[in-house]
Amino acid sequence: METLASLLHTSPATAWMAVKVLMAFGLIMGIAPPLTWAERRGSAMIQDRIGPNRAALFGKIRILGLVQALADGVKFFFKEDLVPPHANKRLFWLAPLLAFVPAMLGFAVIPMGRSFLSGGTEYHLSLLDPGNGMGMLFPMAVGAMAVYGILVAAWSSNNKWAILGGMRASAQMVSYEVGLSLAVIAIFMVTGGYDPHEIVKAQQGTFLGVLPNWYVFRQPFGFLVFFVCMFAEANRLPFDFAEGESEIVAGFHIEYGSMKFALIGLAEYGHILGASALITTMYLGGWGIPFVADHGQIPVIVTFLVFLTKVIALCLVFIWVRWTLPRFRYDQLMNLGWKKLLPISMANLLYFAYRMRG
Amino acid sequence: MENLLISLAQNLFPIFGLLAVGGAALMVASRQAVHSVLGFLFAMLCVAGCFLTLEAEFLGIAQLLVYAGGIVVLFLFVVMLVELTKYKEKDIFQKQTKVALLAVAGGLLVVGGALRNALFGPAAKEALTLRPEITNGAVLGNAQAVSRGLFADFLLPFEILSIILLVALVGAVVLAKTERV
């Protein structure tokens, strides 16, 4: 670390911060395009089609259609940037940013691997060091900001489909946040803190002797609620009321094209990644390897790869669910959120609070 | 480069404060209701930033979660549904300048008096902190400090506030339901 810092003429702390920022940003931007590919090929597999496989580098190298993501990217950059004449131009321009930035920020507190010592100082693999006082509340707060991107995009487009999509999406996201928070509070309570490093530490060891000590096994109902709410928060099927193409064409981003559309799309995949990272950290032991008691001997890169594996596996679950379940009706969505998930997560919270009585 | 970063980092509080005032000014000045709400949102975000620079991380995040994430969303929701430029609501909401000026003047008097007392008045005997045994204790995060304050030191005012909120909630439900009863 010191050599890198001296090469860059900065202090080790600044150099490490730069590395972490590049890592978090690169992780999202590096995984999102392959995720779009996985989404299309996965949907094709599930629906017994072939999926995109025509795009090729130099007319030869196809790599199972993976080049398609590259072609899409190039297309987005070179398309004409249209703003509809009746749109509110400034907000129309602002909305993709409002959608994109929160999707990127949520990663800031997630520990992506074991903390390590180098030259006497301890380095952490999360952008914000532990003990920052924000902990897991930060991704929740930033995730709550995502609704503005959708609302502003919907309103500024001046299009009735867009407004319908935005209204449905925002009502849905605000409703599901309640159950989500209650599920999370149960974890904070049992851990005795809301710092992600503490939460990951609290999940090491075994539960009942045979299972990893993950919260997914210790609080299965909380996990269920959190998992379902994450689909709603990320606006993914079966809760994709923001888009619902068979009902309201494409919903809130109907008027968007070119790079603005790409930013909104990237934000969606950023949310999937963020949701997967949150689920991994809170319920699947974060970077911890199951059944390993002492992580001090395991190389940092292995813990990072374990974290990455869990996140990508969850992303694939998101894709799998999208192409397996049909969309809910709006009243079913609200029933599920307020009459089923909220009581379940409240009961979960009360149960664990009762168990903690002194 | 690092010197620039450091000087920026040391002046984050005034930067966020000025930005918050700018957001509030945008909220008051813009003709378009949605722009107003977005200005309000920006001001709320900057206030959260102010809390963060004062090492009140929990308050900052609570500000984000509750105000920016919840309350302003509902504002935006309502404002988007009510088109103020076309209908008679315009008469209700945009012809209150005199009353508003009076209210602002009264507010300024109160806040200015409090500020004057705080800046130039006699120094308080005790610092405006939570109980010393809480703040000076071992490593307590500010979530603990806030919750001690809420549930131990200021329990009664906190409960009274919750009852006021409950009354407002019930009142809103009653108002909204009148046609059906």
Side-chain angles (χ1 to χ4, degrees), chain A residues 11 14 88 132 137 148 170, chain B residues 2 35 57 61 68 72-73 77:
Chain A
S11 64
T14 317
N88 186 322
N132 56 49
L137 298 177
Y148 289 106
S170 50
Chain B
E2 246 178 313
H35 291 186
E57 291 95 355
I61 289 297
V72 182
V73 176
F77 211 76

Side-chain angles (χ1 to χ4, degrees), chain A residues 194-215:
Chain A
Y194 53 83
D195 200 284
H197 292 264
E198 284 175 41
I199 293 176
V200 171
K201 285 257 161 58
Q203 298 182 67
Q204 289 166 0
T206 50
F207 175 60
L208 299 178
V210 281
L211 293 168
N213 196 18
W214 293 349
Y215 281 125

Side-chain angles (χ1 to χ4, degrees), chain A residues 39-40 55 69 76-77 82 86 102 108 113 130 132 138 147 150 153 227 238 240 251 254 260 308 311 317:
Chain A
E39 176 113 51
R40 288 153 161 211
F76 281 133
F77 271 110
L82 280 175
H86 298 293
N132 56 49
F138 179 78
V147 67
I150 291 176
F227 191 63
D240 69 332
I254 179 171
K260 291 202 190 82
L308 207 61
V311 168
V317 171

Side-chain angles (χ1 to χ4, degrees), chain B residues 54-119:
Chain B
L54 295 175
E55 295 191 4
E57 291 95 355
F58 184 77
L59 271 187
I61 289 297
Q63 169 90 5
L64 275 185
L65 268 174
V66 175
Y67 278 93
I71 292 175
V72 182
V73 176
L74 296 181
F75 277 15
L76 193 57
F77 211 76
V78 172
V79 163
M80 278 165 69
L81 287 174
V82 182
E83 189 90 28
L84 282 180
T85 46
K86 284 178 193 165
Y87 301 108
K88 61 177 193 302
E89 280 92 344
K90 196 174 178 181
D91 294 339
I92 307 170
F93 289 114
Q94 295 186 348
K95 287 192 174 171
Q96 300 170 320
T97 319
K98 281 176 195 163
V99 187
L101 278 179
L102 268 179
V104 167
L108 267 184
L109 269 179
V110 173
V111 174
L115 267 181
R116 203 185 127 256
N117 254 355
L119 290 177

Side-chain angles (χ1 to χ4, degrees), chain B:
Chain B
M1 185 64 193
E2 246 178 313
N3 288 335
L4 176 74
L5 285 181
I6 287 167
S7 67
L8 264 182
Q10 280 167 346
N11 291 313
L12 273 179
F13 181 73
I15 292 173
F16 275 124
L18 285 176
L19 284 176
V21 174
L26 179 70
M27 170 190 160
V28 176
S30 58
R31 292 268 121 204
Q32 186 70 262
V34 171
H35 291 186
S36 283
V37 176
L38 289 177
F40 183 45
L41 168 69
F42 186 68
M44 286 296 135
L45 291 179
C46 291
V47 170
C50 285
F51 280 135
L52 290 185
T53 59
L54 295 175
E55 295 191 4
E57 291 95 355
F58 184 77
L59 271 187
I61 289 297
Q63 169 90 5
L64 275 185
L65 268 174
V66 175
Y67 278 93
I71 292 175
V72 182
V73 176
L74 296 181
F75 277 15
L76 193 57
F77 211 76
V78 172
V79 163
M80 278 165 69
L81 287 174
V82 182
E83 189 90 28
L84 282 180
T85 46
K86 284 178 193 165
Y87 301 108
K88 61 177 193 302
E89 280 92 344
K90 196 174 178 181
D91 294 339
I92 307 170
F93 289 114
Q94 295 186 348
K95 287 192 174 171
Q96 300 170 320
T97 319
K98 281 176 195 163
V99 187
L101 278 179
L102 268 179
V104 167
L108 267 184
L109 269 179
V110 173
V111 174
L115 267 181
R116 203 185 127 256
N117 254 355
L119 290 177
F120 305 111
K125 283 174 199 148
E126 279 179 62
L128 271 177
T129 48
L130 298 174
R131 274 192 198 158
E133 72 260 24
I134 296 169
T135 42
N136 293 345
V139 206
L140 275 171
N142 55 69
Q144 278 103 321
V146 169
S147 48
R148 285 275 175 90
L150 279 185
F151 295 113
D153 293 9
F154 302 104
L155 183 60
L156 188 64
F158 177 66
E159 293 296 337
I160 291 173
L161 266 184
S162 359
I163 288 176
I164 292 176
L165 278 178
L166 187 66
V167 169
L169 202 75
V170 173
V173 171
V174 168
L175 282 178
K177 284 258 176 181
T178 38
E179 313 101 59
R180 283 200 213 165
V181 176

Side-chain angles (χ1 to χ4, degrees), chain A residues 140-219:
Chain A
M140 308 261 134
V142 165
M145 297 293 105
V147 67
Y148 289 106
I150 291 176
L151 270 180
V152 172
W155 187 81
S156 66
S157 302
N158 200 3
N159 178 311
K160 55 184 147 188
W161 308 118
I163 276 281
L164 275 176
M167 288 293 162
R168 303 201 317 186
S170 50
Q172 161 196 335
M173 286 165 90
V174 171
S175 317
Y176 274 68
E177 236 154 56
V178 187
L180 182 77
S181 333
L182 285 178
V184 169
I185 288 172
I187 288 201
F188 294 168
M189 212 165 56
V190 172
T191 311
Y194 53 83
D195 200 284
H197 292 264
E198 284 175 41
I199 293 176
V200 171
K201 285 257 161 58
Q203 298 182 67
Q204 289 166 0
T206 50
F207 175 60
L208 299 178
V210 281
L211 293 168
N213 196 18
W214 293 349
Y215 281 125
V216 61
F217 301 119
R218 282 156 73 192
Q219 304 191 357

Side-chain angles (χ1 to χ4, degrees), chain A residues 31-76:
Chain A
I31 294 183
L35 264 188
T36 64
W37 171 79
E39 176 113 51
R40 288 153 161 211
R41 295 290 291 199
S43 71
M45 264 164 64
I46 289 169
Q47 298 171 343
D48 205 8
R49 295 184 283 114
I50 296 172
N53 68 346
R54 293 290 104 184
L57 277 180
F58 312 114
K60 280 199 184 110
I61 311 163
R62 282 187 183 164
I63 343 174
L64 291 171
L66 195 54
V67 190
Q68 185 75 42
L70 201 68
D72 278 342
V74 173
K75 183 190 75 176
F76 281 133

